[in-house]
């Protein structure tokens, strides 16, 4: 399934021969820059444009057009090229639009040679700019990735090229304009109908730019109110969980986006609230909402792009996640529109003395309320149709999920075998929205984990203090279930778990792990145990970092365990002195890059004595809850999603059976 990028997000590129397709409502100029690792273009021979359309590895259009296809062969690029910038500019033509704010947002898409879209980006929020860097292809560790840039320039091509450090930028810009002017007679006219653009972003929602993530939207943010998020501005590296991207919970998408109502075909025409991906078009019928007589095709597990079945299922689940987010956004937008229209019509009734009183006023109010109810009913019918399709897809996908993605009650666990390859992602729980309560979307996160995890054992409401003990127990159950899943889905010897339980309060909850013998060592207790575990892991991080940076990975001390490690810390900060707190923060910051990951089970109030000192620690962790809680937001629209942890069903023996097989495999391996 193609990824819909938003500004700042990246996406891996699985193939080296691609096309970049640009579509706009007016003729535009397309070009590309070839830059070094620092992002500088060394000379005019590093710019592909209509006057010089062909360079090694890239070819662009020779004229201005509303549709462009740029051919890119990354293998043919010079070894000195590390960044390829895709440029779009408005030609300086008499009567033409002087800025992108005066036309519909252009779109850039990366496709395979077969036309299958890999990722797309709609350039929203452009205003005075007349030239923009739309996308960037860049090398990272010998692999290529795509980044949605969206950096515009009011000074046009001259300003854009000058910003890339190109000598003679103004002269080159004039040369490009002259080449465009010579080819204007061959320009392709703009489309009269926007029927082929099925994916648009409704607002600029910046998501993370995390290394080695397979989905442009593969991240979650802490949900906040619109007022909290409105003043935030995310950086290209993406917001942290406590700093969500613009478009937080409650923001309604703009008209014409995939999360909002489509623009009417003519003034006063009907509004179509159908999610673009859920429209069933039956050629040769022209209307976009025409439904085939035989209905939509039945869903199929793995119906997404990917090299393996696991990758296809991962992409399919994230596609379902995005579809539900955008369909719900369209419904909420429709309801908001109906409410605002009702208020406006009632205000008009009350402002007219002739209709304020008497039967005429009552009739007008009833008519306004009836129109509002009809709009809401129509929007709900569309949402219900989308939910029915997604539910049918979920019923097919869930049974087909591998153990790393499956719930604990999935039959796949009864046939569990220790894998020979590490998975690409893991399920942390389920997500749902109020409008779609029966439908659960698996919360899949890429592996290796880029951030530590924090299971919040605190009570969200002070009036519920009597539930503190129960919540702490549930938090430990969630931590044990997650640790067991990570052990089960990794090959033998490639993943280990260590536990720090200073007061020993979690002994009974950790019994499945200790009883099966899958822990690297018994849970560490007391201040001395805490210091010992943190000291060894800190030393391991230091040694591996030095070896990697020095290019001497084979020089590591013999006997050093280089497998990935999960450190479960219970009851933090009990048993931690200042040195231990510093070491823990160091592991959170530096550990993931060298295979040390943290799972913190704690109540933030217990660490209140440290004040703001630990704020960076809490912000750097992904917060999870042991009970259903709507604290996570999606990266597309910013809905507040209710998260439910992936607990083992009460009375089930599946956890013990799986851990026994893991322990047996470890014994044979050693």
């Amino acid at each position: 399934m193609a990824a819909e990028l938003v500004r700042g997000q990246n996406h891996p590129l699985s193939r080296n021969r691609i096309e970049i397709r640009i579509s706009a409502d007016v003729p535009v100029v397309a070009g590309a820059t070839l830059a070094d690792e620092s992002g500088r273009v060394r000379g005019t021979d590093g710019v592909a444009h209509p006057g010089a359309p062909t360079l090694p590895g890239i070819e662009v259009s020779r004229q201005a057009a509303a549709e462009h296809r740029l051919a890119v062969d990354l293998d043919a690029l010079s070894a000195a090229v590390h960044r390829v910038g895709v440029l779009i500019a408005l030609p300086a033509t008499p009567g033409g639009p002087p800025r992108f704010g005066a036309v519909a947002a252009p779109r850039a898409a990366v496709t395979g040679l077969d036309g299958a879209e890999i990722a797309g980006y709609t350039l929203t929020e452009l205003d005075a700019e007349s030239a923009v860097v739309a996308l960037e292809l860049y090398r990272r560790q010998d692999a290529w990735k795509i980044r949605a840039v969206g950096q515009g320039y009011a000074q046009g091509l001259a300003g854009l090229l000058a910003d890339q450090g190109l000598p003679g930028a103004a002269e080159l810009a004039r040369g490009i304009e002259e080449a465009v002017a010579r080819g204007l007679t061959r320009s392709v006219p703009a489309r009269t109908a926007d029927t082929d653009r099925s994916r648009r972003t409704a607002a600029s929602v910046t998501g993370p730019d995390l290394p080695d993530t397979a989905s442009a939207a593969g991240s979650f943010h802490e949900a906040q109110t619109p007022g909290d998020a409105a003043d935030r501005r995310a950086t290209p590296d993406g917001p942290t969980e406590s700093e969500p991207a613009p478009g937080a919970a409650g923001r309604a998408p703009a008209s014409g986006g995939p999360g909002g109502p489509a623009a009417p075909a003519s003034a006063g025409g009907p509004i179509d609230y159908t999610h673009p991906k859920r429209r069933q078009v039956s050629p040769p019928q022209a209307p976009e909402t025409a439904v085939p007589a035989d209905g939509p095709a039945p869903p199929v597990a793995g119906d997404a792009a990917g090299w393996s079945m696991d990758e296809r299922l991962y992409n399919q689940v994230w596609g379902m996640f995005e579809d539900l987010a955008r369909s719900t956004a369209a419904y909420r937008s429709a309801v908001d529109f109906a409410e605002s229209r009702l208020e406006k019509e009632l205000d008009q009734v009350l402002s007219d003395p002739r209709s304020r009183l008497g039967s005429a006023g009552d009739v007008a109010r009833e008519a306004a309320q009836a129109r509002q109810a009809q709009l809401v009913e129509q929007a709900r019918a569309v949402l219900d149709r989308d939910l029915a399709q997604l539910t049918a897809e979920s019923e097919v996908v869930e049974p087909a999920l591998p153990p790393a993605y499956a719930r604990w009650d999935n039959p796949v666990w009864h046939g569990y075998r220790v894998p020979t390859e590490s998975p690409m992602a893991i399920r942390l729980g389920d997500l749902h929205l109020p409008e779609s309560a029966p439908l659960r979307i698996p919360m899949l996160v890429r592996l290796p984990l880029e951030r530590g995890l924090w299971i919040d054992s605190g009570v969200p409401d002070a009036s519920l203090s009597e539930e503190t003990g129960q919540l702490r127990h549930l938090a430990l159950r969630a931590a044990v279930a997650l640790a067991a899943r990570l052990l089960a889905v990794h090959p033998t010897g490639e993943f280990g778990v260590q536990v720090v339980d200073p007061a020993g309060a979690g002994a009974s909850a950790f019994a499945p792990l200790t009883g099966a013998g899958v822990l690297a060592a018994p849970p560490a207790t007391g201040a001395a145990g805490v210091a010992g575990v943190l000291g060894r892991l800190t030393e391991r991080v230091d040694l591996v970092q030095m070896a990697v940076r020095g290019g001497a990975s084979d020089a590591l001390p013999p006997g050093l365990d280089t497998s990935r490690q999960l450190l479960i810390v219970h009851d933090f900060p009990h048993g931690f002195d200042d040195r231990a707190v510093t070491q823990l923060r160091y592991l959170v910051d530096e550990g993931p890059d060298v295979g040390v990951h943290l799972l913190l089970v704690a109540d933030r109030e217990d660490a209140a004595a440290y004040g703001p000192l630990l704020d960076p620690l809490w912000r750097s962790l992904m917060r999870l809850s042991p009970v259903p809680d709507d604290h996570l937001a999606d990266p597309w629209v910013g809905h507040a999603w209710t998260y439910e942890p992936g607990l083992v069903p009460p009375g089930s023996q599946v956890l013990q059976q799986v851990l026994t097989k893991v322990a047996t495999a470890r014994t044979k391996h050693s």
Side-chain angles (χ1 to χ4, degrees):
M1 181 171 294
E4 185 68 26
L5 304 183
V6 294
R7 186 174 182 181
Q9 288 186 328
N10 69 355
H11 189 74
L13 201 53
S14 58
R15 59 191 75 180
N16 288 346
R17 297 187 65 191
I18 58 173
E19 283 187 351
I20 299 175
R21 301 188 179 189
I22 296 170
S23 55
D25 284 353
V26 295
V28 295
V29 179
T33 58
L34 308 182
D36 58 18
E37 196 167 3
S38 64
R40 293 182 61 85
V41 181
R42 294 302 180 183
T44 56
D45 57 349
V47 182
H49 57 85
T54 304
L55 293 177
I58 191 163
E59 183 175 359
V60 304
S61 303
R62 297 175 178 269
Q63 59 195 27
E67 303 281 352
H68 289 271
R69 290 190 180 185
L70 284 63
V72 180
D73 185 354
L74 298 174
D75 290 331
L77 294 175
S78 166
V81 176
H82 286 260
R83 298 173 184 266
V84 178
V86 179
L87 321 178
I88 306 175
L90 292 170
T93 57
R99 58 189 182 88
F100 278 112
V103 298
R107 188 172 190 273
V110 180
T111 73
L113 298 183
D114 58 355
E117 185 170 320
I118 301 170
Y121 172 42
T122 304
L123 288 84
T124 57
E125 293 193 346
L126 295 177
D127 188 9
E129 300 88 343
S130 58
V132 61
V133 180
L135 298 173
E136 182 183 65
L137 311 178
Y138 65 99
R139 295 183 199 258
R140 188 181 185 91
Q141 299 176 349
D142 296 328
W144 285 91
K145 290 191 174 186
I146 315 159
R147 177 181 289 119
V149 180
Q151 177 63 55
Y153 297 84
Q155 301 84 6
L157 276 172
L160 185 155
L161 297 172
D163 191 49
Q164 301 211 7
L166 183 67
E171 292 79 1
L172 178 59
R174 284 195 294 270
I176 295 174
E177 291 290 352
E178 292 173 359
V180 171
R182 290 193 297 268
L184 275 178
T185 56
R186 303 188 305 273
S187 294
V188 179
R191 296 186 308 273
T192 57
D194 190 18
T195 58
D196 62 332
R197 190 179 302 177
S198 61
R199 305 290 294 254
R200 282 187 177 180
T201 51
S204 179
V205 184
T206 304
D209 180 12
L210 299 177
D212 303 323
T213 51
S215 172
S219 69
F220 302 86
H221 316 291
E222 188 77 23
Q224 294 188 1
T225 62
D228 293 333
D231 296 332
R232 309 278 186 153
R233 188 155 186 88
T235 64
D237 290 331
T240 63
E241 199 160 359
S242 59
E243 297 177 356
R251 175 177 293 185
S255 293
S266 61
I271 298 176
D272 180 11
Y273 294 107
T274 308
H275 187 290
K277 290 187 63 185
R278 298 291 161 187
R279 293 173 184 156
Q280 301 296 330
V281 182
S282 178
Q285 289 177 298
E288 195 171 1
T289 55
V291 181
D294 56 351
V300 178
D303 186 16
W307 291 102
S308 64
M309 187 61 174
D310 285 4
E311 185 177 1
R312 292 197 294 272
L313 287 169
Y314 172 85
N315 290 333
Q316 186 173 12
V317 168
W318 269 92
M320 294 165 58
F321 184 22
E322 180 183 1
D323 287 352
L324 181 55
R326 296 194 185 279
S327 293
T328 305
Y331 169 72
R332 292 180 179 179
S333 178
V335 172
D336 290 343
F337 170 76
E339 293 290 343
S340 63
R341 176 174 169 174
L342 174 62
E343 292 178 4
K344 182 179 179 181
E345 292 180 350
L346 292 179
D347 288 342
Q348 291 175 348
V349 171
L350 294 175
S351 64
D352 188 350
R354 295 171 298 178
S355 60
R356 187 179 305 166
L357 302 174
S359 59
D362 294 338
V363 171
R365 280 188 289 270
E366 291 175 0
Q369 292 168 351
R371 284 190 291 270
Q372 183 263 349
Q374 183 182 13
L375 286 174
V376 173
E377 183 180 357
Q378 290 174 349
R380 183 69 213 193
V382 173
L383 177 63
D384 289 342
R385 185 181 64 189
D386 289 353
L387 290 178
Q389 293 184 30
L390 286 169
T391 300
E393 189 172 4
S394 176
E395 291 173 350
V396 171
V397 170
E398 278 285 358
L401 295 177
Y405 305 170
R407 288 196 296 255
W408 284 107
D409 58 358
N410 192 310
V412 72
W413 287 107
H414 296 292
Y416 166 77
R417 293 183 180 181
V418 177
T420 57
E421 295 182 357
S422 297
M424 67 176 294
I426 193 167
R427 186 176 191 154
L428 298 183
D430 293 333
L431 298 167
H432 69 86
L433 291 169
E435 294 87 349
S436 60
L439 176 62
R440 299 295 192 269
I441 301 294
M443 180 179 173
L444 302 184
V445 176
R446 287 296 302 266
L447 292 177
L449 296 171
E450 296 287 344
R451 302 169 62 186
L453 303 175
W454 164 34
I455 300 179
D456 189 355
S457 60
V459 179
D461 189 342
S463 64
L464 303 176
S465 57
E466 67 275 4
E467 298 183 6
T468 300
Q470 182 181 2
L471 280 176
R472 290 181 184 273
H473 177 69
L474 286 174
L476 279 175
R477 280 185 57 197
V480 170
L482 180 55
R485 182 184 292 269
L486 284 166
L487 284 168
V489 301
H490 281 87
T492 303
E494 292 190 11
F495 198 90
V497 175
Q498 302 188 44
V499 176
V500 168
D501 186 17
S508 60
F510 290 125
L513 299 176
T514 56
V518 295
L519 295 180
T525 58
V530 172
V533 171
L534 294 180
R536 289 191 295 272
L537 289 177
T538 300
E539 181 182 14
R540 177 191 184 281
V541 170
D542 288 339
L543 289 173
V544 175
Q545 278 187 339
M546 287 188 293
V548 171
R549 291 170 181 170
S553 300
D554 55 348
L556 289 169
L560 180 68
D561 185 4
T562 57
S563 64
R564 292 193 172 273
Q565 298 290 318
L566 177 71
L567 173 61
I568 303 178
V569 176
H570 176 232
D571 224 6
F572 176 81
H574 182 78
F576 281 70
D577 56 18
D578 290 345
R579 176 180 174 82
V581 170
T582 301
Q583 289 177 322
L584 185 68
R585 291 184 56 184
Y586 175 75
L587 292 177
V588 171
D589 294 337
E590 304 295 333
D593 288 341
V594 291
V596 176
H597 310 280
L598 176 67
L599 175 56
L600 190 66
V601 183
D603 180 358
R604 188 169 182 173
E605 290 300 319
D606 293 343
Y610 284 90
L613 179 65
L614 292 181
D615 285 352
L617 171 66
W618 304 113
R619 286 198 299 266
S620 64
L621 301 173
M622 176 184 286
R623 175 177 170 263
L624 304 175
S625 57
V627 293
D629 187 29
D630 58 351
H631 67 284
L632 292 174
D634 65 78
W636 302 285
V637 185
H639 293 316
W641 292 74
T642 298
Y643 165 79
E644 295 181 358
L647 299 176
V648 180
S652 173
Q653 298 299 315
V654 66
L655 183 67
Q656 200 61 46
Q657 294 170 2
V658 169
L659 289 177
T660 299
K661 292 184 179 180
V662 171
T664 302
R666 288 192 167 205
T667 302
K668 294 179 179 179
H669 182 265
S670 59

